[in-house]
């Protein structure tokens, strides 16, 4: 069935360093890949998304890359700051107007 | 502007009781999703409403779970005869139109605890 794998489950990086989260998906028909950030006690918030017709998208310190051949995509956060600490979810479109979420990555930014 | 609103924010109830969770989507959004998030886990799809179409109930875990959406706006998720394994955060999201490529906007969820 449809599946999205996300790694790592936990990531600690020094403030100012870069963080990379990787996801793979199983459905070759997937064509939209959003990333969500969830802070404690809050709902997930869309931070960036990419469609299958582009290979990379950047928004300030955040970038996402997509490799459709290998069916994987990644989130890159540069110059990390304390407020980047949160849980990040990748997702990919599945069938019937649904998106399939990864299990999340807990990102800790160390002072 | 108003985002997705969920109520209550927290609900504690005894095993066997029924609960109703409410979601007010963003005005004008035709698509509405319910998800369940267990502690430290990802988002489990429950049900999807799109306009006047029949809802996609394929994610509901048992017949104790049901949902409705009145007038294409407010939605209620009902869990009957609650069990301890129902304890989780229930999240609602809405999007402007049908299609999985439409960005979903989430509420802050209802944290349900079954004693």
């Amino acid at each position: 069935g449809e599946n999205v794998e996300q790694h790592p489950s936990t990531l600690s990086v020094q403030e100012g360093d870069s963080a990379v989260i990787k996801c793979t998906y199983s459905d070759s028909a997937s064509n939209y890949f959003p990333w969500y950030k969830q802070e404690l006690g809050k709902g997930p918030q869309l931070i960036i998304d990419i469609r299958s017709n582009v290979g990379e998208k950047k928004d300030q310190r955040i970038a996402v890359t997509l490799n459709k051949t290998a069916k994987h995509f990644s989130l890159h956060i540069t110059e990390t700051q304390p407020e980047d600490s949160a849980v990040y979810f990748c997702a990919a479109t599945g069938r019937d107007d649904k998106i399939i979420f990864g299990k999340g990555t807990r990102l800790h930014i160390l002072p | 502007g108003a985002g997705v609103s969920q109520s209550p924010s927290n609900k504690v109830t005894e095993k066997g009781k029924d609960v109703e969770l409410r979601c007010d989507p963003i005005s004008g959004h035709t698509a509405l999703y319910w998800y369940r998030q267990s502690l430290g886990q990802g988002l489990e799809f429950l049900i999807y409403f799109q306009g006047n179409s029949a809802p996609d109930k394929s994610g509901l875990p048992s017949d104790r779970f049901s949902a409705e959406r009145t007038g294409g706006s407010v939605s209620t998720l009902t869990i009957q005869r609650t069990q301890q394994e129902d304890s989780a955060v229930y999240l609602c999201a809405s999007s402007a139109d049908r299609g999985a490529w439409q960005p979903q906007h989430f509420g802050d969820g209802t944290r349900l605890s079954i004693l």
Side-chain angles (χ1 to χ4, degrees):
Chain A
E2 304 159 315
N3 192 38
V4 174
E5 298 281 345
Q6 182 171 350
H7 300 281
S9 57
T10 305
L11 177 62
S12 297
V13 300
Q14 212 70 38
E15 182 178 348
D17 288 350
S18 296
V20 180
I21 302 170
K22 299 182 179 181
C23 291
T24 59
Y25 61 98
S26 60
D27 188 350
S28 57
S30 295
N31 58 10
Y32 173 66
F33 307 89
W35 286 87
Y36 286 85
K37 175 183 180 182
Q38 186 176 30
E39 297 177 335
L40 193 63
K42 300 289 187 181
Q45 181 178 20
L46 180 71
I47 55 172
I48 194 167
D49 55 13
I50 191 168
R51 299 180 192 275
S52 59
N53 57 345
V54 299
E56 185 174 355
K57 184 177 178 180
K58 188 174 182 181
D59 182 3
Q60 299 183 335
R61 297 187 296 108
I62 296 174
V64 58
T65 58
L66 171 65
N67 183 326
K68 285 216 72 179
T69 303
K71 290 193 282 189
H72 65 69
F73 56 114
S74 301
L75 178 71
H76 305 252
I77 306 174
T78 58
E79 301 171 18
T80 52
Q81 301 171 2
E83 55 265 34
D84 295 331
S85 293
V87 178
Y88 291 81
F89 292 96
C90 64
T93 48
R95 304 187 189 283
D96 303 326
D97 290 345
K98 292 195 281 285
I99 61 172
I100 311 300
F101 288 86
K103 291 193 180 298
T105 296
R106 185 172 298 277
L107 176 63
H108 300 276
I109 306 302
L110 305 173
Chain B
V4 176
S5 177
Q6 292 188 246
S7 61
S9 55
N10 286 281
K11 177 72 175 178
V12 181
T13 193
E14 294 179 346
K15 176 182 170 181
K17 300 284 189 183
D18 296 352
V19 294
E20 284 190 353
L21 312 180
R22 177 187 168 106
C23 173
D24 282 273
I26 293 173
S27 178
H29 278 194
T30 61
L32 187 148
Y33 300 79
W34 283 98
Y35 296 90
R36 179 168 69 176
Q37 185 175 31
S38 301
L39 188 63
Q41 297 296 310
L43 281 70
E44 175 190 4
F45 166 78
L46 297 177
I47 189 169
Y48 161 55
F49 295 89
Q50 169 55 42
N52 295 321
S53 303
D56 178 344
K57 305 178 182 180
S58 60
L60 295 179
S62 78
D63 59 7
R64 296 186 296 105
F65 288 71
S66 63
E68 61 179 22
R69 188 179 185 192
T70 52
S73 181
V74 172
S75 178
T76 302
L77 177 69
T78 301
I79 309 173
Q80 295 178 308
R81 306 181 302 281
T82 52
Q83 304 293 314
Q84 287 188 329
E85 60 263 29
D86 299 334
S87 296
V89 175
Y90 289 82
L91 291 161
C92 174
S94 70
S95 63
D97 202 349
R98 72 171 303 147
W101 56 88
Q102 297 285 346
Q104 294 187 19
H105 302 265
F106 283 84
D108 287 337
T110 294
R111 183 174 300 277
L112 178 63
S113 300
I114 310 299
L115 302 178

